[in-house]
Amino acid sequence: MENKSSNATSDYDVFYSTGESGDKKLVFQMRATDLTDKNSVITTDYCAASLRLIESYTPGSTGAAGTVGRPSEPWKYFMVSPTTGLLSKDTTMNYRINVNKNRLIIVIESPSATGVGCVLNYIGLPDEIYAA
């Protein structure tokens, strides 16, 4: 996966991949703020960022906003901690990442002293799809 954003302020991070097979157009947008686009997981004690599965993205020139396909797609929660409350922004979190051209898997662990468990976020395509 590759970050294609031409303007992180307006477009946030835009990840794109052609998938392991090379014939896919996998694209999603992530931002460090919650669904209200107000509470940053970087600068506040809130525990949710957000993402959306957009149809396409065409970067603008360097520093200019790009064009998002399906801009009406709603933002979804991307949990950094499994609590709807607050967790100090100074808390050191441990994380593990598994990424390939089909998917991004992130496990985020809170320190045991917080009493808060871990979060598993999976974005993308599974290796195998079963249908009944």
Side-chain angles (χ1 to χ4, degrees):
M1 299 211 144
E2 185 178 348
N3 189 347
K4 294 281 194 176
S5 180
S6 57
N7 185 327
T9 303
S10 63
D11 300 343
Y12 309 102
D13 291 310
V14 181
F15 295 96
Y16 175 81
S17 176
T18 57
E20 291 291 327
S21 61
D23 63 348
K24 304 279 189 276
K25 291 182 181 176
L26 307 173
V27 60
F28 66 94
Q29 205 172 17
M30 289 188 75
R31 63 185 184 186
T33 56
D34 65 9
L35 297 180
T36 66
D37 195 19
K38 293 179 184 173
N39 302 308
S40 171
V41 296
I42 296 169
T43 60
T44 73
D45 294 339
Y46 285 89
C47 299
S50 51
L51 70 95
R52 66 180 177 173
L53 305 173
I54 56 179
E55 184 176 65
S56 61
Y57 178 76
T58 305
S61 57
T62 303
T67 303
V68 173
R70 195 170 54 205
S72 61
E73 176 70 13
W75 290 96
K76 296 162 181 62
Y77 280 116
F78 180 87
M79 299 306 293
V80 175
S81 177
T83 177
T84 56
L86 303 176
L87 187 64
S88 171
K89 66 181 172 292
D90 297 323
T91 302
T92 300
M93 309 290 277
N94 293 318
Y95 64 93
R96 294 183 180 97
I97 297 175
N98 179 293
V99 64
N100 67 17
K101 290 183 177 184
N102 279 349
R103 68 178 174 273
L104 170 65
I105 302 171
I106 303 173
V107 176
I108 305 171
E109 298 173 322
S110 303
S112 59
T114 65
V116 177
C118 67
V119 173
L120 171 68
N121 290 287
Y122 185 111
I123 306 162
L125 298 174
D127 286 336
E128 296 183 34
I129 299 173
Y130 297 97

